[in-house]
Amino acid sequence: MSVATRNVKAIIPLLDRVLVQRLKAEQKTASGILIPEKALESLNEGKVIAVGKGALDKEGKHIKPQVEEGDRVLLPSYGGNTIKVGDEEFTLFRDSEIMAKITE
């Protein structure tokens, strides 16, 4: 499923959803050789663009998500819902689907 929109700021995740932009693989080797598109692997790393308020507990209170805007995260190979904004692709994941935060 793909949704087209013009501005990523118009997308506000609900509840425990997290909007992520996958990082792109390098298109050149260290020595400057271009890698064909078909040979490029999809990275399982991304940057958090927006975060919802969190899931609801039994009392109706929000449970704060474990990630914040700007975090680098490790993503599952499959899953999420793809959203196309202009030429860029973003993916919506549930907070619980994100595997890890990457710190430097």
Side-chain angles (χ1 to χ4, degrees), residues 3-84:
V3 176
T5 184
R6 293 180 190 173
N7 187 354
V8 73
K9 298 281 186 196
I11 301 168
I12 301 169
L14 300 177
L15 297 174
D16 64 338
R17 307 274 189 325
V18 179
L19 184 65
V20 177
Q21 183 175 27
R22 285 189 187 266
L23 297 180
K24 296 182 179 156
E26 291 293 324
Q27 295 183 348
K28 284 185 181 181
T29 64
S31 61
I33 299 172
L34 291 173
I35 301 171
E37 270 190 49
K38 290 184 180 182
L40 291 175
E41 292 184 23
S42 172
L43 291 180
N44 290 347
E45 196 175 312
K47 180 180 177 187
V48 176
I49 304 300
V51 180
K53 289 184 178 180
L56 297 174
D57 63 10
K58 292 180 182 179
E59 298 168 0
K61 296 179 184 174
H62 288 282
I63 300 169
K64 186 177 181 227
Q66 297 182 21
V67 296
E68 298 175 357
E69 286 183 30
D71 284 349
R72 283 184 47 209
V73 292
L74 186 63
L75 303 168
S77 298
Y78 300 100
N81 294 314
T82 302
I83 299 169
K84 191 159 185 157

